[in-house]
Amino acid sequence: MFTDTTYSQLSEQQRLYLNDIASAFEISSDALDKIVGQITSEMYRGLASNPMGRASELSMSPTLVHRSEPAQPVSLGMAIDATGKRIRIGSLRDGQGQVSTQVFYPPSRENIFDFAAFCIREFLQQHDLEGTALPLGVTIGLPVDSGSTDIAKEDSLDLCGSDVGRRLCSAILRNHLPVHVTSVTNNVVSELIAARHRDKATRVAATFNRGINAAYFEKLANVEKLNSSSSSDIAINTEVGRFGSLFNSLPQTMWDRRLDRESRCPHTRALEKLVADQYLGEIVRNLITDFMDRQLLFSASCQAQAISTAYAFHTAYMAPIMEDTSPDLQMVDALFTTEFDIQSSLADRLVIRELCEIVATRAARLAGAILAALVLKVADRETSQCIKVALNGVLFDINLQLFTKTVDTVKSLLKRRSDAQVEIVFQSRSDDITGAAVNAAKH
């Protein structure tokens, strides 16, 4: 993994510890292929009416999606961020695409649905949409099953067991708004709807943001737990980030276990904690501070307070560090001086870059395993050999190397198991709103 130039600049102790870390984070192709098979098995188990003694780790929640052409000339889409820190509203006209979007920032997370009603009123007034009753599709980055007890993110809204649609409808009625809620979907399902609206060949959508998730279209007759013989498609929200939480199916390191133990939701969403944007920077920070504790990084008198703060090293820092090819790694030097008030040597900077590479490579390989499992699930019943996957997420927006490694991993894993081909397309960050509005327009 390391170049001769890197090795020549490092001390023997630094090299040895870096090699130990690289070995701990490495996932062989055989191990990755096994993970693909396990994810696929959990998907089938999650669709079964009798899941052979235990429930699936994946929720595999069916979501009915309207398949007709848009019937409403104007429809609205609303996206409520899982953190409750942002609400976005967009309008769709004649099913042709999102024409206007507005962002609102709640002053607090209290009474989030009353604030959402206020946002709807403001949007209607500012976009001259007050005269007609409009359908509204709602999307949120949390499980929408009212029976769910899952916590999706460290700082997410506490909506466990809540009926999001009912609570929003109540707020809309109290405020006498000319809007009716037609659907409530998870963000990734909304992104799948938007992708399918643009290209009917799209079967899979996956999002890699602060959390990770994926959805795909399944034949209703294949969802045994619904007991239907229909040949229609239904969207399946996998909640794939949960994988590995119950049966230790993932190759976790001591740093992963530390992050999980100190998280808001320990022993849950194991796969998400190895891949999502929210966590990768924190894994790197833990590796950096371990190097510091061994006196293998920075001077003993450096200012360590900032780098010792949990989640202070953002995942967004990793891309510029990995892309820094200057002889003295100027970008890495500037970042640590500016953000952490730490002066670094070239050897320090080389270690940091290698740590980012190690963590990003594992995340890319696991992301590739997720996508490969989804493609294999869809290809199992498809006549077409090319499966279109819509990809969305800040993780790939800010790190091209991670995206490239993910695509390479998907293709490599598919060759082991199938003749299926994959075409991956990027989505707009606002496609969750578009998908919600499209679903509302077809109601």
Side-chain angles (χ1 to χ4, degrees):
M1 175 176 288
F2 314 121
T3 65
D4 292 339
T5 302
T6 301
Y7 263 105
S8 66
Q9 297 290 334
L10 305 185
S11 69
E12 182 178 0
Q13 287 178 304
Q14 285 176 318
R15 291 196 297 268
L16 288 172
Y17 195 40
L18 207 51
N19 276 324
D20 288 345
I21 290 171
S23 296
F25 277 79
E26 184 178 2
I27 306 177
S28 70
S29 295
D30 287 343
L32 209 59
D33 186 64
K34 182 178 179 180
I35 290 171
V36 171
Q38 290 171 325
I39 293 174
T40 304
S41 294
E42 290 300 313
M43 293 172 71
Y44 277 104
R45 185 184 296 274
L47 297 177
S49 56
N50 180 16
M52 298 171 58
R54 68 167 177 86
S56 172
E57 286 195 289
L58 310 184
S59 68
M60 302 298 287
S61 301
T63 304
L64 289 171
V65 175
H66 303 299
R67 295 295 305 279
S68 61
E69 290 304 310
Q72 304 293 333
V74 181
S75 61
L76 303 178
M78 169 186 282
I80 302 174
D81 281 14
T83 61
K85 296 178 180 178
R86 187 176 64 159
I87 292 176
R88 293 168 292 138
I89 302 179
S91 61
L92 183 80
R93 294 182 184 272
D94 300 319
Q96 297 303 309
Q98 188 178 318
V99 295
S100 57
T101 305
Q102 195 166 347
V103 183
F104 301 86
Y105 298 95
S108 73
R109 303 202 299 188
E110 299 292 327
N111 303 316
I112 189 70
F113 295 105
D114 286 323
F115 183 79
F118 164 80
C119 297
I120 294 170
R121 184 185 299 279
E122 288 292 303
F123 186 88
L124 295 176
Q125 290 176 347
Q126 294 185 28
H127 295 271
D128 297 323
L129 294 172
E130 294 180 281
T132 308
L134 298 175
L136 170 67
V138 180
T139 186
I140 188 167
L142 293 170
V144 297
D145 179 1
S146 62
S148 173
T149 58
D150 192 49
I151 298 175
K153 300 177 179 68
E154 296 297 297
D155 54 355
S156 65
L157 288 167
D158 185 8
L159 294 177
C160 293
S162 295
D163 187 328
V164 173
R166 181 185 61 79
R167 293 178 66 180
L168 182 59
C169 284
S170 295
I172 288 172
L173 288 172
R174 286 196 302 272
N175 287 272
H176 308 289
L177 299 175
V179 168
H180 58 281
V181 177
T182 61
S183 60
V184 179
T185 53
N186 181 273
N187 282 358
V188 74
V189 172
S190 299
E191 289 158 5
L192 179 62
I193 294 169
R196 181 70 167 272
H197 183 62
R198 294 192 183 97
D199 187 342
K200 296 295 189 290
T202 304
R203 306 296 302 176
V204 176
T207 183
F208 292 82
N209 283 300
R210 290 176 62 78
I212 65 170
N213 200 5
Y216 73 101
F217 282 113
E218 181 66 85
K219 292 298 182 185
L220 192 54
N222 292 336
V223 186
E224 292 181 12
K225 59 187 179 182
L226 294 183
N227 192 28
S228 172
S229 59
S230 172
S231 61
S232 298
D233 279 351
I234 190 168
I236 302 293
N237 171 23
T238 66
E239 291 295 336
V240 72
R242 297 176 177 180
F243 177 77
S245 302
L246 299 179
F247 302 105
N248 298 318
S249 309
L250 295 167
Q252 292 179 314
T253 68
M254 60 176 283
W255 298 279
D256 302 314
R257 289 188 288 272
R258 178 191 303 168
L259 183 147
D260 179 63
R261 183 177 65 250
E262 296 173 352
S263 70
R264 175 185 174 188
C265 45
H267 313 305
T268 63
R269 308 195 73 84
L271 181 53
E272 182 167 281
K273 289 172 181 171
L274 305 185
V275 179
D277 174 77
Q278 182 170 4
Y279 300 106
L280 298 188
E282 179 64 3
I283 296 171
V284 172
R285 190 193 67 82
N286 277 314
L287 294 170
I288 289 172
T289 54
D290 274 11
F291 258 91
M292 293 171 66
D293 291 341
R294 292 169 179 257
Q295 296 186 319
L296 297 177
L297 202 64
F298 309 132
S299 70
S301 60
C302 75
Q303 297 291 329
Q305 183 176 0
I307 194 65
S308 299
T309 303
Y311 294 92
F313 187 91
H314 304 301
T315 301
Y317 296 157
M318 294 172 64
I321 289 173
M322 292 166 61
E323 293 167 1
D324 190 351
T325 57
S326 61
D328 55 354
L329 301 184
Q330 296 174 355
M331 179 64 73
V332 185
D333 184 28
L335 192 152
F336 271 79
T337 300
T338 303
E339 300 297 330
F340 302 106
D341 195 21
I342 293 178
Q343 302 298 318
S344 59
S345 67
L346 178 57
D348 295 333
R349 299 192 284 275
L350 286 166
V351 167
I352 292 164
R353 187 174 67 178
E354 294 300 336
L355 293 177
C356 289
E357 289 274 3
I358 290 168
V359 173
T361 297
R362 185 187 66 170
R365 287 176 66 77
L366 288 170
I370 294 168
L371 296 179
L374 286 156
V375 170
L376 289 168
K377 180 68 180 70
V378 174
D380 186 60
R381 56 183 174 78
E382 283 290 319
T383 55
S384 171
Q385 291 298 300
C386 185
I387 308 300
K388 290 193 175 182
V389 177
L391 202 59
N392 184 294
V394 67
L395 188 64
F396 298 129
D397 288 346
I398 63 178
N399 197 321
L400 181 59
Q401 288 188 45
L402 199 151
F403 170 73
T404 302
K405 291 177 180 180
T406 298
V407 174
D408 290 344
T409 301
V410 174
K411 292 179 178 179
S412 175
L413 289 169
L414 289 177
K415 285 181 181 178
R416 283 172 161 251
R417 289 175 170 262
S418 171
D419 293 330
Q421 301 295 314
V422 62
E423 180 183 344
I424 297 177
V425 295
F426 272 112
Q427 288 186 283
S428 163
R429 290 191 186 183
S430 62
D431 266 7
D432 53 349
I433 304 176
T434 303
V438 166
N439 209 29
K442 294 180 178 183
H443 188 266

Coordinates of all heavy atoms in Angstrom, one line a residue, residues 185-254:
T185 N -42.4 9.1 2.4 CA -41.4 8.1 2.0 C -40.1 8.4 2.6 O -39.7 9.6 2.9 CB -41.3 8.0 0.5 OG1 -41.0 9.4 0.0 CG2 -42.6 7.5 -0.2
N186 N -39.2 7.4 2.7 CA -37.9 7.6 3.1 C -37.1 8.3 2.0 O -37.5 8.1 0.8 CB -37.2 6.2 3.4 CG -35.8 6.3 3.9 OD1 -34.9 6.3 3.0 ND2 -35.6 6.4 5.2
N187 N -36.1 9.0 2.3 CA -35.3 9.8 1.3 C -34.9 8.9 0.1 O -35.0 9.3 -1.1 CB -34.1 10.5 1.9 CG -34.5 11.7 2.7 OD1 -35.7 12.1 2.7 ND2 -33.5 12.4 3.3
V188 N -34.3 7.7 0.4 CA -33.8 6.9 -0.7 C -34.9 6.4 -1.6 O -34.6 6.3 -2.8 CB -32.9 5.8 -0.1 CG1 -33.7 4.7 0.5 CG2 -32.0 5.2 -1.2
V189 N -36.1 6.2 -1.1 CA -37.2 5.8 -1.9 C -37.6 6.9 -2.8 O -37.9 6.7 -4.0 CB -38.4 5.3 -1.1 CG1 -39.6 5.0 -1.9 CG2 -38.0 4.0 -0.3
S190 N -37.6 8.1 -2.3 CA -37.9 9.3 -3.1 C -36.9 9.5 -4.2 O -37.2 9.9 -5.3 CB -38.0 10.5 -2.2 OG -39.0 10.4 -1.2
E191 N -35.6 9.3 -3.9 CA -34.6 9.4 -4.9 C -34.7 8.3 -6.0 O -34.5 8.6 -7.2 CB -33.2 9.3 -4.2 CG -32.9 10.5 -3.4 CD -31.8 10.3 -2.3 OE1 -31.3 9.1 -2.3 OE2 -31.5 11.2 -1.5
L192 N -35.2 7.1 -5.6 CA -35.4 6.1 -6.5 C -36.6 6.4 -7.5 O -36.5 6.2 -8.7 CB -35.8 4.8 -5.8 CG -36.1 3.5 -6.6 CD1 -35.0 3.1 -7.5 CD2 -36.6 2.4 -5.7
I193 N -37.6 7.1 -6.9 CA -38.8 7.5 -7.7 C -38.3 8.6 -8.7 O -38.7 8.5 -9.9 CB -39.9 8.1 -6.8 CG1 -40.5 7.0 -5.9 CG2 -41.0 8.7 -7.6 CD1 -41.4 7.5 -4.8
A194 N -37.5 9.5 -8.3 CA -37.0 10.6 -9.2 C -36.2 10.0 -10.3 O -36.3 10.4 -11.5 CB -36.2 11.6 -8.4
A195 N -35.3 9.0 -10.0 CA -34.5 8.4 -11.0 C -35.3 7.6 -12.0 O -35.1 7.7 -13.2 CB -33.4 7.5 -10.3
R196 N -36.3 6.9 -11.5 CA -37.2 6.1 -12.4 C -38.0 7.1 -13.2 O -38.3 6.7 -14.4 CB -38.1 5.3 -11.5 CG -39.1 4.4 -12.3 CD -38.3 3.2 -13.0 NE -39.2 2.2 -13.5 CZ -39.6 1.2 -12.7 NH1 -39.2 1.0 -11.5 NH2 -40.4 0.3 -13.3
H197 N -38.4 8.2 -12.7 CA -39.2 9.2 -13.5 C -38.4 9.7 -14.7 O -39.0 9.9 -15.8 CB -39.6 10.4 -12.6 CG -40.4 11.4 -13.2 ND1 -41.7 11.1 -13.7 CD2 -40.2 12.7 -13.5 CE1 -42.2 12.2 -14.2 NE2 -41.3 13.2 -14.1
R198 N -37.1 9.8 -14.5 CA -36.2 10.3 -15.6 C -35.8 9.2 -16.6 O -35.6 9.4 -17.8 CB -35.0 11.0 -15.1 CG -35.2 12.2 -14.3 CD -33.9 13.0 -14.0 NE -34.2 14.2 -13.2 CZ -34.0 14.2 -11.9 NH1 -33.6 13.1 -11.3 NH2 -34.3 15.3 -11.3
D199 N -35.6 8.0 -16.0 CA -35.1 6.9 -16.8 C -35.8 5.6 -16.3 O -35.5 5.1 -15.2 CB -33.6 6.7 -16.7 CG -33.0 5.7 -17.6 OD1 -33.8 4.8 -18.1 OD2 -31.8 5.7 -17.9
K200 N -36.7 5.1 -17.1 CA -37.5 3.9 -16.7 C -36.7 2.7 -16.4 O -37.2 1.7 -15.8 CB -38.6 3.6 -17.7 CG -39.6 4.8 -17.9 CD -40.5 4.9 -16.7 CE -41.6 5.9 -16.9 NZ -41.2 7.3 -17.1
A201 N -35.5 2.7 -16.9 CA -34.6 1.5 -16.7 C -33.9 1.5 -15.3 O -33.3 0.5 -15.0 CB -33.5 1.5 -17.8
T202 N -34.1 2.5 -14.5 CA -33.4 2.5 -13.2 C -34.1 1.6 -12.3 O -35.3 1.6 -12.1 CB -33.4 4.0 -12.6 OG1 -32.8 4.8 -13.6 CG2 -32.7 4.0 -11.3
R203 N -33.4 0.7 -11.6 CA -33.9 -0.3 -10.7 C -33.5 -0.1 -9.3 O -34.1 -0.6 -8.3 CB -33.5 -1.7 -11.1 CG -33.9 -2.0 -12.6 CD -35.3 -2.0 -12.9 NE -36.1 -2.9 -12.0 CZ -37.4 -3.1 -12.0 NH1 -38.1 -2.3 -12.8 NH2 -38.0 -3.9 -11.2
V204 N -32.4 0.6 -9.1 CA -31.7 0.7 -7.8 C -31.3 2.2 -7.5 O -30.9 2.9 -8.4 CB -30.5 -0.2 -7.7 CG1 -29.8 0.0 -6.3 CG2 -30.8 -1.6 -7.9
A205 N -31.5 2.6 -6.2 CA -31.0 3.9 -5.8 C -30.2 3.7 -4.5 O -30.7 2.9 -3.6 CB -32.1 4.9 -5.7
A206 N -29.1 4.4 -4.3 CA -28.4 4.3 -3.0 C -27.9 5.7 -2.7 O -27.5 6.5 -3.5 CB -27.2 3.3 -3.2
T207 N -27.9 5.9 -1.4 CA -27.4 7.2 -0.9 C -26.4 7.0 0.2 O -26.5 6.1 1.0 CB -28.6 8.0 -0.3 OG1 -28.2 9.3 0.1 CG2 -29.3 7.3 0.9
F208 N -25.3 7.8 0.1 CA -24.2 7.7 1.0 C -23.9 9.1 1.5 O -23.1 9.9 1.0 CB -22.9 7.1 0.3 CG -23.0 5.7 -0.1 CD1 -23.7 5.3 -1.3 CD2 -22.5 4.7 0.7 CE1 -23.8 4.0 -1.7 CE2 -22.7 3.4 0.3 CZ -23.3 3.0 -0.8
N209 N -24.6 9.5 2.5 CA -24.5 10.8 3.2 C -24.0 10.6 4.6 O -23.1 9.7 4.9 CB -25.8 11.5 3.1 CG -26.1 12.1 1.7 OD1 -25.3 12.9 1.2 ND2 -27.2 11.7 1.1
R210 N -24.6 11.3 5.5 CA -24.2 11.1 6.9 C -24.6 9.7 7.4 O -24.0 9.1 8.3 CB -24.9 12.2 7.8 CG -24.3 13.6 7.6 CD -25.1 14.6 8.4 NE -25.0 14.4 9.8 CZ -24.0 14.7 10.6 NH1 -22.9 15.2 10.1 NH2 -24.1 14.5 11.9
G211 N -25.7 9.2 6.8 CA -26.0 7.8 6.9 C -26.0 7.1 5.5 O -25.7 7.8 4.5
I212 N -26.2 5.8 5.5 CA -26.3 5.1 4.2 C -27.6 4.4 4.1 O -28.1 3.9 5.1 CB -25.1 4.2 4.0 CG1 -25.1 3.0 5.0 CG2 -23.8 4.9 4.1 CD1 -24.1 1.9 4.7
N213 N -28.1 4.2 2.9 CA -29.3 3.4 2.7 C -29.4 3.1 1.2 O -28.7 3.7 0.3 CB -30.5 4.2 3.1 CG -31.7 3.3 3.4 OD1 -31.6 2.1 3.3 ND2 -32.9 3.9 3.7
A214 N -30.3 2.2 0.9 CA -30.5 1.8 -0.5 C -31.9 1.3 -0.7 O -32.5 0.8 0.2 CB -29.5 0.7 -1.0
A215 N -32.5 1.5 -1.9 CA -33.8 1.0 -2.2 C -33.8 0.5 -3.6 O -32.9 0.8 -4.4 CB -34.8 2.2 -2.1
Y216 N -34.7 -0.4 -3.9 CA -34.8 -0.9 -5.3 C -36.3 -1.3 -5.6 O -37.1 -1.4 -4.6 CB -33.9 -2.2 -5.4 CG -34.4 -3.4 -4.7 CD1 -35.0 -4.4 -5.4 CD2 -34.2 -3.5 -3.3 CE1 -35.5 -5.6 -4.7 CE2 -34.7 -4.7 -2.7 CZ -35.3 -5.7 -3.4 OH -35.8 -6.8 -2.7
F217 N -36.6 -1.6 -6.8 CA -37.9 -2.1 -7.2 C -38.0 -3.6 -7.2 O -37.1 -4.2 -7.8 CB -38.3 -1.5 -8.6 CG -38.7 -0.1 -8.5 CD1 -37.9 0.9 -9.2 CD2 -39.9 0.3 -7.9 CE1 -38.3 2.3 -9.1 CE2 -40.3 1.7 -7.8 CZ -39.5 2.6 -8.5
E218 N -38.9 -4.1 -6.6 CA -39.2 -5.5 -6.5 C -40.6 -5.9 -7.0 O -41.5 -5.0 -6.9 CB -39.1 -6.0 -5.0 CG -39.3 -7.5 -4.7 CD -38.2 -8.3 -5.3 OE1 -37.1 -8.5 -4.7 OE2 -38.4 -8.8 -6.5
K219 N -40.7 -7.0 -7.6 CA -42.1 -7.5 -8.0 C -42.9 -7.8 -6.7 O -42.4 -8.4 -5.8 CB -42.0 -8.7 -8.9 CG -41.3 -8.5 -10.2 CD -42.2 -7.5 -11.1 CE -41.5 -7.3 -12.4 NZ -42.3 -6.2 -13.2
L220 N -44.1 -7.3 -6.7 CA -44.9 -7.4 -5.5 C -45.1 -8.9 -5.2 O -45.2 -9.2 -4.0 CB -46.3 -6.7 -5.8 CG -47.2 -6.5 -4.6 CD1 -46.5 -5.8 -3.5 CD2 -48.4 -5.7 -5.0
A221 N -45.2 -9.7 -6.2 CA -45.4 -11.1 -5.9 C -44.2 -11.8 -5.2 O -44.4 -12.8 -4.6 CB -45.7 -11.9 -7.2
N222 N -43.0 -11.2 -5.3 CA -41.9 -11.7 -4.6 C -41.8 -11.3 -3.2 O -40.9 -11.8 -2.4 CB -40.6 -11.2 -5.3 CG -40.5 -11.8 -6.7 OD1 -41.0 -12.9 -7.0 ND2 -39.7 -11.1 -7.6
V223 N -42.6 -10.4 -2.7 CA -42.6 -10.0 -1.3 C -43.6 -10.9 -0.6 O -44.8 -10.6 -0.4 CB -43.0 -8.5 -1.2 CG1 -42.9 -8.0 0.2 CG2 -42.2 -7.6 -2.1
E224 N -43.1 -12.0 -0.1 CA -44.0 -13.0 0.5 C -44.8 -12.5 1.6 O -45.9 -12.9 1.8 CB -43.1 -14.2 0.9 CG -42.5 -15.0 -0.2 CD -41.7 -16.2 0.3 OE1 -41.8 -16.5 1.5 OE2 -40.9 -16.8 -0.5
K225 N -44.2 -11.6 2.4 CA -44.9 -11.1 3.6 C -46.1 -10.3 3.3 O -46.9 -10.0 4.2 CB -43.9 -10.3 4.5 CG -43.3 -9.1 3.9 CD -42.2 -8.5 4.9 CE -41.5 -7.3 4.3 NZ -40.5 -6.8 5.2
L226 N -46.3 -9.9 2.0 CA -47.5 -9.1 1.6 C -48.5 -10.0 1.0 O -49.7 -9.6 0.8 CB -47.1 -8.0 0.6 CG -46.2 -6.9 1.2 CD1 -46.0 -5.8 0.1 CD2 -46.8 -6.2 2.4
N227 N -48.2 -11.3 0.7 CA -49.1 -12.3 0.2 C -49.9 -11.7 -1.0 O -51.1 -11.7 -1.0 CB -50.1 -12.7 1.4 CG -50.9 -13.9 1.0 OD1 -50.4 -14.7 0.2 ND2 -52.1 -14.0 1.6
S228 N -49.2 -11.3 -2.0 CA -49.8 -10.8 -3.2 C -49.3 -11.5 -4.4 O -48.1 -12.0 -4.5 CB -49.5 -9.3 -3.3 OG -50.0 -8.8 -4.6
S229 N -50.1 -11.7 -5.4 CA -49.7 -12.3 -6.7 C -49.6 -11.3 -7.8 O -49.4 -11.7 -8.9 CB -50.8 -13.3 -7.1 OG -52.1 -12.7 -7.2
S230 N -49.6 -10.0 -7.4 CA -49.5 -9.0 -8.4 C -48.1 -8.9 -9.1 O -47.1 -9.2 -8.4 CB -49.8 -7.6 -7.8 OG -49.5 -6.6 -8.7
S231 N -48.1 -8.6 -10.3 CA -46.8 -8.5 -11.1 C -46.3 -7.0 -11.0 O -45.3 -6.7 -11.6 CB -47.0 -8.9 -12.5 OG -48.0 -8.1 -13.2
S232 N -47.0 -6.1 -10.3 CA -46.6 -4.7 -10.2 C -45.3 -4.6 -9.4 O -45.0 -5.4 -8.6 CB -47.7 -3.9 -9.6 OG -48.9 -3.9 -10.4
D233 N -44.6 -3.5 -9.7 CA -43.4 -3.2 -8.9 C -43.8 -2.5 -7.6 O -44.7 -1.8 -7.5 CB -42.5 -2.3 -9.7 CG -41.6 -3.1 -10.7 OD1 -41.7 -4.3 -10.7 OD2 -41.0 -2.4 -11.5
I234 N -43.0 -2.7 -6.6 CA -43.1 -2.0 -5.3 C -41.7 -1.6 -4.9 O -40.7 -2.4 -5.1 CB -43.8 -2.9 -4.2 CG1 -44.1 -2.0 -3.0 CG2 -42.9 -4.1 -3.9 CD1 -45.0 -2.7 -2.1
A235 N -41.5 -0.5 -4.3 CA -40.2 0.0 -3.9 C -39.9 -0.6 -2.5 O -40.8 -0.7 -1.6 CB -40.2 1.5 -3.8
I236 N -38.7 -1.1 -2.3 CA -38.3 -1.7 -1.1 C -37.2 -0.8 -0.5 O -36.1 -0.6 -1.1 CB -37.7 -3.1 -1.3 CG1 -38.8 -4.0 -1.9 CG2 -37.2 -3.7 0.0 CD1 -40.0 -4.3 -1.1
N237 N -37.5 -0.3 0.7 CA -36.4 0.4 1.5 C -35.7 -0.6 2.3 O -36.2 -1.2 3.3 CB -37.1 1.5 2.4 CG -36.2 2.1 3.4 OD1 -35.0 2.1 3.2 ND2 -36.7 2.6 4.5
T238 N -34.4 -0.8 2.0 CA -33.7 -1.9 2.7 C -33.2 -1.6 4.1 O -33.1 -2.4 4.9 CB -32.5 -2.3 1.8 OG1 -31.5 -1.2 1.8 CG2 -32.9 -2.7 0.4
E239 N -32.9 -0.3 4.4 CA -32.2 0.1 5.6 C -30.9 -0.7 5.7 O -30.6 -1.3 6.8 CB -33.1 0.0 6.8 CG -34.2 1.0 6.9 CD -33.8 2.4 7.0 OE1 -32.6 2.6 7.5 OE2 -34.5 3.3 6.6
V240 N -30.1 -0.8 4.7 CA -28.9 -1.6 4.6 C -27.9 -1.2 5.6 O -27.0 -2.1 6.0 CB -28.4 -1.6 3.2 CG1 -27.7 -0.3 2.9 CG2 -27.4 -2.8 3.0
G241 N -27.9 0.0 6.1 CA -27.0 0.4 7.2 C -27.0 -0.4 8.4 O -26.1 -0.4 9.2
R242 N -28.1 -1.1 8.6 CA -28.3 -2.0 9.8 C -27.5 -3.3 9.8 O -27.2 -3.9 10.8 CB -29.7 -2.4 10.0 CG -30.7 -1.2 10.3 CD -32.1 -1.8 10.3 NE -33.1 -0.7 10.6 CZ -34.4 -1.0 10.7 NH1 -34.9 -2.2 10.5 NH2 -35.2 0.0 11.0
F243 N -27.1 -3.6 8.5 CA -26.4 -4.9 8.4 C -25.2 -5.1 9.3 O -24.4 -4.2 9.5 CB -26.0 -5.1 6.9 CG -25.2 -6.4 6.7 CD1 -25.9 -7.6 6.6 CD2 -23.8 -6.4 6.6 CE1 -25.2 -8.8 6.4 CE2 -23.2 -7.6 6.4 CZ -23.9 -8.8 6.3
G244 N -25.0 -6.3 9.9 CA -23.9 -6.6 10.7 C -24.1 -6.3 12.1 O -23.1 -6.5 12.9
S245 N -25.2 -5.7 12.5 CA -25.4 -5.2 13.9 C -25.7 -6.4 14.9 O -25.3 -6.3 16.1 CB -26.5 -4.2 14.0 OG -26.3 -3.1 13.1
L246 N -26.2 -7.5 14.4 CA -26.7 -8.6 15.3 C -25.7 -9.7 15.3 O -25.6 -10.4 16.4 CB -28.1 -9.0 14.9 CG -29.2 -8.0 15.0 CD1 -30.5 -8.6 14.5 CD2 -29.3 -7.5 16.4
F247 N -25.0 -10.0 14.2 CA -24.3 -11.3 14.1 C -22.8 -11.1 13.8 O -22.2 -12.0 13.4 CB -25.0 -12.2 13.1 CG -26.4 -12.4 13.3 CD1 -27.4 -11.8 12.6 CD2 -26.8 -13.3 14.4 CE1 -28.7 -12.0 12.9 CE2 -28.1 -13.5 14.6 CZ -29.1 -12.9 13.9
N248 N -22.3 -9.9 14.1 CA -20.9 -9.7 13.9 C -20.4 -10.2 12.5 O -19.3 -10.8 12.4 CB -20.1 -10.3 15.0 CG -20.4 -9.8 16.4 OD1 -20.6 -8.6 16.5 ND2 -20.5 -10.7 17.4
S249 N -21.1 -9.8 11.5 CA -20.8 -10.3 10.1 C -19.7 -9.4 9.5 O -19.3 -9.7 8.4 CB -22.1 -10.2 9.3 OG -23.1 -10.9 9.9
L250 N -19.3 -8.3 10.1 CA -18.4 -7.4 9.5 C -17.1 -7.4 10.2 O -17.0 -7.6 11.4 CB -19.0 -5.9 9.6 CG -20.3 -5.7 8.8 CD1 -20.9 -4.4 9.2 CD2 -20.0 -5.8 7.3
P251 N -16.0 -7.2 9.5 CA -14.6 -7.2 10.0 C -14.3 -5.9 10.8 O -13.7 -5.0 10.3 CB -13.8 -7.4 8.8 CG -14.5 -6.7 7.7 CD -16.0 -6.9 8.0
Q252 N -14.8 -5.7 12.0 CA -14.6 -4.5 12.8 C -13.2 -4.5 13.5 O -12.7 -5.6 13.9 CB -15.7 -4.4 13.8 CG -17.1 -4.1 13.3 CD -18.1 -4.0 14.3 OE1 -18.1 -4.8 15.3 NE2 -19.0 -3.0 14.2
T253 N -12.6 -3.4 13.5 CA -11.4 -3.2 14.2 C -11.6 -2.6 15.6 O -12.8 -2.3 16.0 CB -10.4 -2.2 13.5 OG1 -11.0 -0.9 13.5 CG2 -10.3 -2.6 12.0
M254 N -10.6 -2.5 16.4 CA -10.7 -1.9 17.7 C -11.2 -0.5 17.7 O -11.9 0.0 18.5 CB -9.4 -2.0 18.5 CG -8.2 -1.3 17.9 SD -6.7 -1.3 18.9 CE -7.2 -0.1 20.1

